[in-house]
Structures are given as C-alpha cells and as structure tokens.
Amino acid sequence: MNEQEEARMYLPASTADGAVALAEEPKNPVLVALGERVRNLRAQRGLTRKAVAVAADVSERHLANLEYGTGNASILVLQQVASALHCSLAELVGDFTTRSPEWLLIRELLEHRSEPELRRARQSLHELLSGGGNDTARHGRIALVGLRGAGKSTLGALLARALDVPFIELSREIETLAGCSVREIHDLYGTTAYRRYERRALEETIQIHSEVVIATPGGIVSDPATFNELLAHCTTVWLRAAPEEHMGRVVAQGDMRPMAASKEAMDDLKRILDGRAAFYSKADITVDTSGQTPEQSLAALHTGVRKLTARAA
C-alpha cells in the first residue's frame, strides 16, 4: 500500500460485517492458523478486510469467518489428505517451492534455519545470481523505510541537505511515470499496476543516482522483488516510531480520516505495523524517532549513516 493511501487503510472493516466468531465452539487449530495467516498477510499489505473481500470476489462475512478460524471446512479435508500422503499442505496444494526437485531440496536446506542464517543465505544467493559482485554504490544510496508518519519525508530532506546529495520521494517518481496521482493509479489500474510503477521508479532511481537519499512508500516491503532490489542497491534505514506517534503525525499533516474510529483505527495501525515490522527490520540500521525532535532524530540518523559508510570504506 502506498503512503498516500496508507492512513485510510488504518481504518478497519466495519464491525457490522456479520463476522461469526462462534466463541462458544472450539476451533480447529488448522483453521485458526490459516485465519491468523490471512490476517497477517492483510496487515502486511495494509488492506482492509473489505478491500480484500472485493478483490477476492467473496463476501466480507465469509472472509471474516475465515480470519476468525471458522472458515470453509474443506481445508480440513485437504489437511487430512496431506497427512495421509506424509506431506505439507503447501506441497499438496502446489506452491512455488514444489515446482521441481531442486526447489524441494533448497526448501529442505532452509527449513528450520534461524533468521540470521536465512539472511546470510539470501545475501549469498543474491550475490551468486547477480554475477558475483555487490553494488559498489550501495552505501551512497540511503533509503528510508517505515510506515507513514515515521518522518521519512522530513528527515530524508534534512539528511540529503546535510550530505549534499539529491533527495527523492519515490511516490512522486511513481506519479511522474504514471502521469497521474498514486490514488488514481490504484483506482484506475489496481494494486498490481501500482507495484509495477513502484519497481520501475526504484530501478530508474538506482540507475541514475549513485548518491541519493530516497524516501520510500510504506508498503514497499509488500513486494518481495522490489524490496530485494532496495536491499541490494541501497543502504536501508528503518525509521521506527510508536503507533501513537504514527497516528498523531498523520493527523498533524491534516488527514483526519484515521480518527473517524479512533480505537479501531489504532488497532488496525498496530496490526499493519506488526505485519511489516519483520520486513522493516531487514534494514541495515534502525532509528527510533519516538519522542524525538526532528533535530534529535536527524542527529541519530546522520550518525548511523556515517558509521555504515565508514565501515564500507
């Protein structure tokens, strides 16, 4: 989800969507896990339940039941068949890691590895597949990631001025490429088209600039290919803030929509942040802007970037 739309996506689906919690009945753990996975994926992408229901062409009630772990019982039949065949549900359904023996062997090597081990494996694999060399200009490109309201635009412009390099807001580059606003891209062409413009804007920015500060859209982590490109070619900084500060800064920018349902909006914001935090944490450094003035945050950001640059020299 793009930054311009992100605050609107904090708003949850209406509680009048007819969700059937069935709290008095025990829930099957497989359906509960599936529902949690659906909720997490929705949070990572910054989408409301209503938006997903419309895109999937299912009722909002049906999707709500799925998220609450009371979904279609046919999932349990597939689970039983998978158990009988001694394979995972993913292998039975046929996800991308079951396409060939090599995929299955690679998955087996990576399964149960720790996050640091997986990170090293990803970096080594990228180096191998990209020709065996790292981008030497990577440390000259500083990319700021995080939710809307973290301070990417404000701190990005200040950091670029301090480093005497260009400052680019990727959302503006996306609009230039598309010839319309970010909201119009979503309304007219959909999220898939927006992601293509986002990837193209990032690639062109990387090709043109060897030294630059980039403020990225909050949802850039939703597309693994684009996020991989960002991690490979830019020094990344997660500007982190408490949910309350994210919300307060969005409202301070003049957008009152998140306050239409304050508690529910805050809960949804927290889910989005929780869903994306694992991706944001892949950044090279993290700067917490909670309770900090712009000057204090800039000092911490500048210091962190200088240390990274010094180590790379």
Side-chain angles (χ1 to χ4, degrees), residues 1-299:
M1 180 51 56
N2 61 86
E3 286 202 35
Q4 187 174 351
E5 293 283 284
E6 200 160 62
R8 182 159 61 92
M9 292 300 100
Y10 296 162
L11 291 171
S14 169
T15 54
D17 59 10
V20 180
L22 296 180
E24 69 279 3
E25 296 183 10
K27 298 178 182 178
N28 185 282
V30 173
L31 295 182
V32 171
L34 176 63
E36 182 178 0
R37 182 63 178 157
V38 172
R39 287 197 308 275
N40 288 341
L41 286 170
R42 182 164 66 82
Q44 288 171 15
R45 286 153 178 76
L47 296 170
T48 62
R49 188 183 297 138
K50 181 177 182 180
V52 175
V54 170
D57 195 23
V58 299
S59 72
E60 202 169 339
R61 175 176 180 150
H62 183 88
L63 183 58
N65 286 338
L66 180 63
E67 291 191 358
Y68 283 117
T70 58
N72 195 325
S74 62
I75 293 292
L76 299 181
V77 175
L78 291 177
Q79 176 65 29
Q80 291 168 341
V81 173
S83 297
L85 294 173
H86 304 288
C87 68
S88 67
L89 186 58
E91 189 171 353
L92 180 65
V93 174
D95 72 353
F96 66 93
T97 64
T98 65
R99 290 176 183 169
S100 71
E102 289 296 344
W103 263 117
L104 288 170
L105 292 171
I106 291 171
R107 190 179 72 180
E108 175 64 25
L109 285 173
L110 298 178
E111 196 170 4
H112 306 307
R113 300 290 181 178
S114 67
E115 280 295 305
E117 288 175 322
L118 290 173
R119 179 174 186 143
R120 289 195 297 272
R122 173 177 56 79
Q123 292 170 337
S124 297
L125 188 60
H126 183 275
E127 184 175 346
L128 173 66
L129 297 179
S130 63
N134 291 322
D135 186 347
T136 56
R138 178 178 181 271
H139 291 282
R141 305 187 192 97
I142 312 300
L144 308 181
V145 302
L147 287 184
R148 184 184 180 192
K152 291 173 295 182
S153 296
T154 300
L155 295 178
L158 293 172
L159 179 63
R161 188 181 308 159
L163 298 176
D164 193 24
V165 299
F167 171 63
I168 288 179
E169 287 203 62
L170 206 60
S171 293
R172 304 290 81 79
E173 300 301 308
I174 293 169
E175 291 178 334
T176 298
L177 285 173
C180 59
S181 71
V182 166
R183 180 175 297 178
E184 288 172 328
I185 298 173
H186 281 277
D187 290 345
L188 295 173
Y189 309 115
T191 300
T192 300
Y194 171 80
R195 293 297 171 209
R196 287 199 300 267
Y197 281 118
E198 183 179 59
R199 176 72 180 273
R200 183 178 160 194
L202 177 63
E203 289 174 340
E204 291 192 3
T205 299
I206 289 170
Q207 290 170 2
I208 293 170
H209 300 282
S210 58
E211 293 184 312
V212 65
V213 175
I214 308 169
T216 67
I220 198 168
V221 297
S222 298
D223 185 78
T226 302
F227 194 45
N228 262 330
E229 189 82 3
L230 189 76
L231 293 173
H233 296 285
C234 301
T235 294
T236 49
V237 182
W238 176 18
L239 294 183
R240 183 173 61 187
E244 294 77 11
E245 295 218 20
H246 278 293
M247 184 71 77
R249 292 168 185 173
V250 168
V251 173
Q253 293 169 8
D255 192 342
M256 299 300 293
R257 289 171 298 183
M259 301 308 292
S262 181
K263 184 182 184 303
E264 292 82 0
M266 181 60 70
D267 289 343
D268 215 29
L269 187 154
K270 289 177 180 178
R271 281 194 292 271
I272 294 173
L273 186 56
D274 289 344
R276 292 179 179 173
F279 294 91
Y280 289 146
S281 66
K282 301 304 177 187
D284 295 289
I285 58 173
T286 298
V287 174
D288 196 328
T289 64
S290 297
Q292 304 293 305
T293 65
E295 292 75 20
Q296 291 171 326
S297 296
L298 176 63

